[in-house]
Amino acid sequence: MKTQINKYSNNFIYNIINEDFKKNKCSLLHTRFPPEPNGYLHIGHAKSICLNFELASLYNGYCNLRFDDTNPVKENIKYINAIINDITWLGYKWNKKIYYSSEYFSELYKYAKELIKKNLAYVDQLTKKQIREYRGTLVIPGKNSPYRNRSIEENLQLFKEMKKGYFNPGEACLRAKIDMSSPNIIMRDPVLYRVIFEKHHQTKHQWCIYPMYDFAHCISDSIEGITHSFCTLEFQDNKCLYNWILENTSVLNRPKQYEFARLNLKYSILSKRKIKILIEKKIINDWDDPRIQTISGLRRKGYTPSSIRKFCEKIGVTKQNNLIEFSMLEYCIRNELNENAIRTMAVLEPIKLYLYNIDDNYQENFIVPNHPKKPELGNHEITFTNTIYIEREDFKEKYENNYKRLKIGQEIRLRYSYIIKAEKIEKDKYGNIIQIICFCDLNTLGKKPINRKNPSVIHWISVKNSFSSEFRLYEKLFNIHNPEQEQNFLSFLNPNSMIIKHGFIEKQISEKIKKHINDIKNKNINLFFQFERVGYFCIDLIDSKKNKLIFNRTVSLRDTWNLKKQLI
Ligand code: ATP
Ligand code: MG
């Protein structure tokens, strides 16, 4: 992928790097994206991915992809594969190979022993609960553990025993010996190593002690020659520890950590822990549910890599935490689909309409453009007959004065076709409308009506030319701005976050899709449509089959959210 110059060149991080280059503190920028493989990537991760990869590219440097895989309890190879797939899909190429913190377990062990030998680390045998109690709070200083003053020899011996599996999880851990009364709680003898008996996806059963994230992260950065280590603001307090570890071990490089504001998106949950709860409780189907803003969910909903990159570029990188409007994300994909999506007609909630002055075997084909402004996108054919489907909401028996769509006695134009006039309705014995009976003015194809007003236009599909399809309409999953902030976020779910409709698309379009469906699925290349007057849609690549097409609404035609918000 080619990077446009200047896209990422107006933020505070760019300025820091520039200064470092000017002062010769750095001659080759080396960044990294370091996911923990304990879930799928989300739009917040995309912000960090774009920042790290784009900056590296801007400076002709490198960006590593490194899995910070220090907790086998929560990690899974399935997440590794999904993360690799998502980053590739977003269009980024990492430096050389995929790195894993677990590759450095031997080196990390060596550095841990180095700290013990310098009397800067000790094996503690307080319980987890006691460690928490001894740590103190923001206003109460911590207390030293009774195990803090063990001799170096004893600590080396015990650490070796931890490694050999002599201790059960929670019975012993290695802690840095820093300062239990430090105003920064992170510095109150943080745990560096713990015992975990779990098979690791990379190192299998080789280890039963695992470094903590804070210990592994900075040393991994250093081993890889990372020059600038970017993370989100929550890690500001961890920076002291990041630097302390690098200063007190014999590592060769000392990368610098810089923090930026994490992405928070309105109506969204981005924490992996909370997304897992939504899946476990079957509120959403999986990590790729189009209602959550994981990369795979957005992809399934119809977002393109470029629309996500555009979004990340637009929100910028600052040090102020804020809540980004959801409509900003929608704006990015809508803009793109407006340029590229094929226009066609679909009826999502059909009602039949019969044109009584047209013969049963009459058929007329119209060639219609795939895009109103882009002839290069070609045409397709639609069929007109005397029985068609229109959208249920385009006809009203009872209506208000300003109602402009179809009603008895009123004319309307069928898109690309004739003007018709509704004359009566046929109902079943329960009072449901079976069909609307209309007159078709055959003098109005491509012409203004004579001596009367131009009517509104509605979309339609000939029954003969229709292919039944499922449409999934997505709304926000939560009905409050900031569900992430709420402890009981599950109480703010929108019960109508997915609405399923059974309707029709044009047969010519369905034939084209069916011909390529396996190809489309295998290559993960979606097709994007604007169903006229309805919205932008894509094919659901997971659930669609040759004989059953399912469409996901990517985004509405207009920003209805801002409108709705103003109405509330
Ligand atoms: P979560 O809070 O969603 O569980 P995490 O921070 O634990 O995410 P990691 O896998 O550790 O997930 O994240 C990898 C990188 O992505 C980190 O550098 C992290 O700072 C960054 N990141 C995670 N969430 C966001 C976000 N919302 N906005 C920007 N960057 C993020
Ligand atoms: Mg994390």
Side-chain angles (χ1 to χ4, degrees), residues 341-342 344 509 513 527-531 535-539 551:
I342 287 178
T344 171
I509 298 288
I513 296 172
L527 288 181
F528 304 97
F529 300 98
Q530 186 198 93
F531 292 148
Y536 292 101
F537 284 75
C538 69
I539 307 167
F551 294 90

Side-chain angles (χ1 to χ4, degrees), residues 350-354 387-389 392 425-437:
I351 185 166
K352 250 189 203 163
L353 189 151
Y354 174 62
T387 312
I388 62 174
Y389 292 117
R392 188 163 283 270
I425 43 181
E426 244 176 65
K427 290 187 175 175
D428 64 13
K429 62 178 179 191
Y430 307 105
N432 302 316
I433 301 175
I434 306 173
Q435 58 180 3
I436 310 156
I437 317 278

Side-chain angles (χ1 to χ4, degrees), residues 33-36 42 44-45 48 230 232 260 262-263 270-272:
F33 175 66
E36 290 177 62
H42 52 60
H45 293 119
S48 170
F230 304 119
T232 41
F260 64 94
R262 64 185 288 118
L263 166 68
L270 293 183
S271 143
K272 288 180 274 190

Side-chain angles (χ1 to χ4, degrees), residues 494-555:
N494 170 10
N496 296 317
S497 57
M498 175 163 78
I499 299 164
I500 296 184
K501 304 249 182 200
H502 294 279
F504 299 95
I505 61 164
E506 294 169 8
K507 213 178 219 157
Q508 281 89 338
I509 298 288
S510 70
E511 292 301 324
K512 203 167 137 185
I513 296 172
K514 281 191 319 191
K515 225 161 76 196
H516 298 289
I517 187 88
N518 288 337
D519 229 28
I520 293 169
K521 272 188 169 194
N522 294 340
K523 293 189 187 141
N524 213 351
I525 303 168
N526 219 322
L527 288 181
F528 304 97
F529 300 98
Q530 186 198 93
F531 292 148
E532 297 202 26
R533 301 181 62 234
V534 181
Y536 292 101
F537 284 75
C538 69
I539 307 167
D540 187 288
L541 294 179
I542 311 288
D543 292 344
S544 287
K545 305 204 173 52
K546 237 182 174 155
N547 53 358
K548 190 187 180 199
L549 294 181
I550 298 169
F551 294 90
N552 291 329
R553 184 171 68 190
T554 310
V555 68

Side-chain angles (χ1 to χ4, degrees), residues 2 68 104 201 341 383 400 437 473:
K2 234 178 133 88
D68 268 338
Y104 316 130
H201 46 91
T383 303
E400 281 161 14
I437 317 278
L473 310 182

